[in-house]
């Protein structure tokens, strides 16, 4: 009986109110984080458009059209990722995911000095993590580049199909 009650207790937990969730979103600086993401996404998009322009020989009219598409795309991103658009989604997701107790505990943490310190230092942590990951991946990319160059530069092997046929023939003979 105790196990049964323990299993359904989370389902009976009180749902958070909009005010509870808004408190958490404010304390966790959710809007600031979202607002800081948009320029990075726009920059990535700008680089993609720049690559497209460099890969193709575009005349002035095509360049102007590409620039208009880039502007429109940027406006669409800004609108779709605006806090005004996403806040209701966040509130709904938090309501579906967390209990009132969870939301209040998280809000209290983010309002604390430890929570504020975490928020203050997370960007530096993420930057350091990206550098560390890039450092770790660099030797792998060097090895991959060497392998690719070896494959591209090797002479076409005529013996490979014959080996395949021999293996196939010997396998067929074993059956």
């Amino acid at each position: 009986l105790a196990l049964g009650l323990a299993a359904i207790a989370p389902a009976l937990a009180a749902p958070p109110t909009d005010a509870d969730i808004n408190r958490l979103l404010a304390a966790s600086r959710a809007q600031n984080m979202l607002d800081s993401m948009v320029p990075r996404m726009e920059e990535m998009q700008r680089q993609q458009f720049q690559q497209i322009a460099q890969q193709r020989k575009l005349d002035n009219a095509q360049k102007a059209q590409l620039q208009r598409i880039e502007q429109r795309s940027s406006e669409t991103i800004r609108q779709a990722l605006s806090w005004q658009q996403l806040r209701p989604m966040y509130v709904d997701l938090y309501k579906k995911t967390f209990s009132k107790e969870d939301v209040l505990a998280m809000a209290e943490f983010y309002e604390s000095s430890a929570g504020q310190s975490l928020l203050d230092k997370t960007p530096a942590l993420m930057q350091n993590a990206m550098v560390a990951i890039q450092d770790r991946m660099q030797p792998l990319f060097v090895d991959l580049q060497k392998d690719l160059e070896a494959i591209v530069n090797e002479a076409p092997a005529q013996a490979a199909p014959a080996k395949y046929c021999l293996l196939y023939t010997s396998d067929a003979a074993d059956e």
Side-chain angles (χ1 to χ4, degrees), residues 144-157:
L144 179 60
Q145 181 68 31
K146 287 178 187 174
D147 291 345
L148 288 172
E149 287 175 13
I151 290 169
V152 169
N153 293 330
E154 75 181 17

Side-chain angles (χ1 to χ4, degrees), residues 41 43-53 55:
M41 293 182 77
E43 177 59 22
M44 288 180 352
Q45 174 188 293
R46 188 189 64 72
Q47 289 173 359
Q48 288 175 334
F49 276 100
Q50 200 172 32
Q51 274 185 327
I52 291 169
Q55 291 170 350

Side-chain angles (χ1 to χ4, degrees), residues 121-137:
K121 294 174 182 172
T122 295
L125 173 66
M126 297 309 295
Q127 181 64 36
N128 292 336
M130 290 302 297
V131 169
I133 290 169
Q134 287 173 348
D135 289 348
R136 182 168 282 209
M137 296 301 292

Side-chain angles (χ1 to χ4, degrees), residues 5-46:
L5 290 175
I8 62 169
L12 300 176
T17 65
D18 286 10
D20 297 332
I21 295 168
N22 286 331
R23 176 182 166 198
L24 171 58
L25 294 174
S28 65
R29 304 178 195 165
Q31 182 175 356
N32 291 348
M33 283 193 284
L34 181 65
D35 290 346
S36 71
M37 268 180 24
V38 172
R40 287 184 288 202
M41 293 182 77
E42 288 177 324
E43 177 59 22
M44 288 180 352
Q45 174 188 293
R46 188 189 64 72

